[in-house]
Amino acid sequence: MLPEPAQNRDYPELARQIKAWARDLGFSGATIGRAELPAEVGQRLLDWLAAGHHGEMDYMARHGLLRARPAELVPGALSVVSVRLPYRDPAARDMHAVLADGDKAAIARYALGRDYHKTVRNRLQKLADRLHAAAGPLGYRVFSDSAPLMEVALAAQSGLGWRGKHTLLIHRDEGSFFFLGELLTDLPLPADAPVDAHCGRCTRCLDVCPTQAIVAPYQVDARRCISYHTIELRGPIPQEFRRAVGNRIYGCDDCQLVCPWNRFAQPSGEPDFRVRHGLDAPRLIELFGWDEAKFLRRTEGSAIRRIGHERWLRNIAVALGNAPRSVAVVVALQGRMAHPSALVREHVAWALTEQASKPVDTSGL
């Protein structure tokens, strides 16, 4: 089928086809919005940055309002196709049980499989190819958390879900355990309407946050956030938050775990997101024993690799400090006391001090 000339395009029908193609490609939903955001969205971003809530993520401040102006990121863009892709592996161990076991490592569920960036972008590229075949020459670009773009705001604007008080997107039939992606195009597609928010008076996400990082509804102070500390932060994890980190070594799902809407979270059928190397409930001591070569092998193709081996050990040292005391934990920590990295040595020393303050548990030996 030859593409329609621009003057003959039926844009409402093209929009319907885009949504159908998106579902064919495995996305659980797709909506279309304008490639611009209201001025108040940009002002809220500036206020958040001015308050220093981005912490050491200097790129957030560097890009500034560009995040709220998609048409400047992709000149000529008129429309944004936003998509959802569920990532919850139904075979993964229950996160509540992992968090309750101080000898296990808790890893955010999104990071248990393959790095989502490539998976989502590859799917979006296939969607763009279909659009190009049907509509002819067009300008476009695909994204998945890969450019300065306010993904949640754009998705909420087009009704893909609503912004929860924890700042993540929520869908009433799917909860929030999904990735977002965007296709920006210069086609003037009809925009979908936003949906009503359904958080009501619920504050479970604010109440459960181990470090009270959700400082107000719809406001997260990254400087208090465990995901920030274990993934983005390059230096020492502030001592005031180390105990609250518990056994979380990469990210934190607490605000999602308590959200009532995640009773409806959809399982993922995507093989890329299946648990790899038993990372849904691994033992902290085992992970702490990985040398850099093993860390790189086991995290190949994973989002976890981006933190590197040094921060991997930093995070696990904190978790071991929070673990029930045992001779095995103390021995494992002592084995890293002379590590070449001052960052690792600092957190090992803290962990040993924490262990020394607890009664010895030899039941596992």
Side-chain angles (χ1 to χ4, degrees):
M1 182 178 70
L2 294 176
E4 287 286 333
Q7 66 272 21
N8 296 334
R9 289 173 182 157
D10 182 344
Y11 288 109
E13 173 59 19
L14 189 56
R16 187 198 66 76
Q17 289 181 314
I18 289 170
K19 295 169 187 176
W21 295 332
R23 288 195 175 275
D24 290 344
L25 290 167
F27 294 114
S28 62
T31 55
I32 298 170
R34 293 173 298 132
E36 60 179 318
L37 289 166
E40 57 265 28
V41 174
Q43 186 58 53
R44 285 197 295 270
L45 171 61
L46 292 178
D47 293 343
W48 184 78
L49 291 168
H53 287 170
H54 58 299
E56 295 181 10
M57 294 183 288
D58 295 336
Y59 59 89
M60 301 285 292
R62 188 165 61 250
H63 293 134
L65 279 177
L66 178 62
R67 292 182 174 277
R69 296 171 177 171
E72 292 185 14
L73 183 64
V74 181
L78 297 175
S79 304
V80 181
V81 179
S82 293
V83 296
R84 298 188 307 267
L85 185 62
Y87 62 75
R88 186 177 65 85
D89 181 353
R93 306 282 183 87
D94 178 69
M95 187 61 150
H96 295 283
V98 176
L99 287 168
D101 187 343
D103 291 318
K104 298 288 178 63
I107 295 174
R109 304 291 92 171
Y110 83 85
L112 296 180
R114 187 186 182 199
D115 188 341
Y116 65 95
H117 295 85
K118 292 181 180 179
T119 301
V120 177
R121 285 203 304 268
N122 287 343
R123 295 275 183 92
L124 281 169
Q125 184 58 54
K126 292 178 181 178
L127 180 60
D129 292 342
R130 291 194 184 187
L131 181 57
H132 182 274
L138 73 154
Y140 74 89
R141 190 172 167 188
V142 299
F143 302 95
S144 178
D145 193 23
S146 54
L149 200 62
M150 298 185 73
E151 294 186 306
V152 174
L154 289 168
Q157 177 175 263
S158 63
L160 193 67
W162 72 88
R163 189 182 190 91
K165 293 178 183 178
H166 49 22
T167 74
L168 303 174
L169 196 75
I170 302 174
H171 188 274
R172 64 181 305 154
D173 297 325
E174 296 183 27
S176 61
F177 286 105
F178 49 75
F179 298 123
L180 296 176
E182 299 79 36
L183 189 162
L184 272 65
T185 175
D186 57 5
L187 297 178
L189 300 167
D192 294 306
V195 296
D196 293 334
H198 296 284
C199 288
R201 292 178 291 180
C202 179
T203 59
R204 293 186 192 183
C205 57
L206 283 80
D207 300 337
V208 79
C209 180
T211 54
Q212 298 300 292
I214 310 174
V215 293
Y218 316 107
Q219 293 184 44
V220 172
D221 185 343
R223 297 169 299 182
R224 303 186 64 85
C225 179
I226 290 175
S227 288
Y228 169 78
H229 292 146
T230 56
I231 300 174
E232 300 292 344
L233 186 66
R234 295 186 176 277
I237 295 174
Q239 289 204 26
E240 64 181 299
F241 299 122
R242 290 181 189 177
R243 289 182 178 175
V245 167
N247 60 345
R248 302 168 186 84
I249 68 165
Y250 189 93
C252 178
D253 281 337
D254 288 36
C255 61
Q256 298 193 83
L257 293 173
V258 299
C259 178
W261 292 104
N262 273 323
R263 291 175 295 175
F264 310 111
Q266 297 297 304
S268 173
E270 172 54 56
D272 281 349
F273 301 150
R274 291 175 186 159
V275 176
R276 294 183 174 189
H277 305 300
L279 288 177
D280 52 336
R283 294 182 68 239
L284 287 166
I285 289 178
E286 177 189 348
L287 300 186
F288 200 57
W290 288 4
D291 60 18
E292 186 168 16
K294 188 169 186 177
F295 168 79
L296 293 174
R297 286 197 308 272
R298 291 296 181 92
T299 61
E300 185 174 2
S302 164
I304 296 172
R305 180 182 273 208
R306 67 185 290 250
I307 68 172
H309 187 240
E310 181 184 36
R311 284 187 280 168
W312 172 257
L313 293 178
R314 175 199 66 181
N315 296 349
I316 300 173
V318 171
L320 287 171
N322 292 325
R325 189 181 179 190
S326 72
V327 173
V329 168
V330 172
V331 169
L333 287 166
Q334 289 174 337
R336 296 288 190 183
M337 288 176 64
H339 192 276
S341 165
L343 182 68
V344 173
R345 294 197 304 272
E346 175 192 343
H347 289 76
V348 166
W350 176 87
L352 284 168
T353 300
E354 289 294 295
Q355 282 285 308
S357 69
K358 303 173 184 180
V360 179
D361 176 11
T362 59
S363 61
L365 295 179

